[in-house]
Amino acid sequence: MSKDGMGLHVVFTGAPGCGKGTQARRLKEKLGICHLSTGEMLRAEAAKGTKLGSEIKALLDAGSFVTDEMIIDMVSKRIEEDDCKNGFILDGFPRTLPQAEILEKMLADKGIKLDAVIEIQVPDEIIMERILGRYACMTCGEGYHDKFHKPKVYGVCDKCGGTDFYRRIDDNRTTVQNRLVNYRALTYPTIPYFEKKGVLRCVDGTGTIEATGKKVDAILGL
Ligand code: AMP
């Protein structure tokens, strides 16, 4: 994949639990470019315990989207920061058609070309199993799974040696069902949108992290 001389600009999209965050973190480590997860930004805001934070928390816990205005404001400020100068990986944004349209405008204003929107495809049955079993290291954020990816030593993070782990509150059956409904209704329409723009690439995300990673690398010419 050719670059525009301004670094790589990639969007990972797909249903919740498809592996967007995992692939984005992998690419960040490989290329040293910024990983922008709107979900993580919102969780950080929610943890502040402010009035806005508690409003965001209520939406996240229910599996509902925050407003386009709020998320667009957050992303447009974030991509102005220095660490985004050599490119960035968007994970969880855009999640609606208005967000997709604004992203296109934001990038055009900065003379940036979107290298690829990578849709990671995983069927719903697999998604539920993946989400309900996943957890992460409190210290470094490394992701694990009860069944598919356990730490080498029980209770100890492979990456940083941390011993505290957490599960996301929105990773429960009811909320995941709502997140899937929202994905179909609000996010899925962005797929044909990006297809028409000629930037959409699809990968089968049912294999291992490494197998999906190889497909992503091939798409990006890495
Ligand atoms: P994620 O970590 O990407 O699964 O996002 C977690 C939650 O954050 C989602 O279920 C939404 O409630 C919210 N969220 C993340 N990104 C967006 C976005 N671009 N637009 C609206 N809500 C979002």
Side-chain angles (χ1 to χ4, degrees):
M1 170 96 24
S2 68
K3 298 181 188 176
D4 54 11
M6 300 180 77
L8 200 64
H9 298 88
V10 181
V11 169
F12 279 109
T13 191
C18 70
K20 299 186 289 290
T22 303
Q23 291 303 327
R25 275 189 292 276
R26 203 192 119 269
L27 213 52
K28 174 197 168 158
E29 271 172 30
K30 185 168 176 140
L31 302 175
I33 59 174
C34 204
H35 167 205
L36 305 182
S37 155
T38 44
E40 274 169 24
M41 289 182 207
L42 291 168
R43 284 188 284 281
E45 198 60 48
K48 288 184 186 162
T50 56
K51 186 171 172 289
L52 176 67
S54 16
E55 283 165 17
I56 292 174
K57 186 176 181 318
L59 291 170
L60 260 59
D61 290 356
S64 306
F65 285 3
V66 305
T67 62
D68 285 337
E69 291 71 24
M70 182 190 289
I71 210 84
I72 286 163
D73 183 53
M74 215 176 226
V75 173
S76 62
K77 285 182 183 140
R78 185 64 186 85
I79 64 173
E80 289 300 324
E81 290 177 28
D82 268 1
D83 60 345
C84 290
K85 291 223 155 45
N86 295 323
F88 48 78
I89 307 152
L90 287 166
D91 153 21
F93 179 90
R95 237 181 175 100
T96 62
L97 265 182
Q99 292 180 19
E101 285 159 2
I102 292 277
L103 174 67
E104 202 184 8
K105 188 174 176 315
M106 282 192 299
L107 296 182
D109 287 350
K110 293 167 81 62
I112 293 172
K113 180 184 139 293
L114 199 53
D115 292 286
V117 173
I118 303 181
E119 183 200 5
I120 305 182
Q121 298 174 327
V122 176
D124 286 6
E125 319 78 83
I126 297 184
I127 278 175
M128 196 52 94
E129 190 181 25
R130 275 193 185 177
I131 295 190
L132 297 183
R134 73 182 178 182
Y135 62 99
C137 172
M138 286 274 241
T139 314
C140 71
E142 183 71 357
Y144 295 98
H145 193 279
D146 294 327
K147 207 161 145 187
F148 308 124
H149 179 40
K150 300 178 187 175
K152 291 190 183 81
V153 177
Y154 178 78
V156 182
C157 174
D158 294 347
K159 206 170 160 198
C160 76
T163 51
D164 292 321
F165 297 85
Y166 71 95
R167 289 179 196 263
R168 281 170 47 175
I169 295 175
D170 59 345
D171 281 353
N172 65 77
R173 194 172 291 276
T174 312
T175 306
V176 174
Q177 268 153 0
N178 197 26
R179 285 158 66 196
L180 284 169
V181 167
N182 282 332
Y183 174 74
R184 301 262 172 273
L186 302 171
T187 309
Y188 192 76
T190 64
I191 302 287
Y193 173 87
F194 284 122
E195 190 173 20
K196 273 196 207 111
K197 303 274 170 193
V199 286
L200 183 74
R201 304 284 181 274
C202 301
V203 297
D204 169 7
T206 56
T208 61
I209 295 171
E210 294 71 30
T212 306
K214 273 191 187 150
K215 293 174 199 159
V216 167
D217 287 356
I219 285 171
L220 297 174
L222 299 172

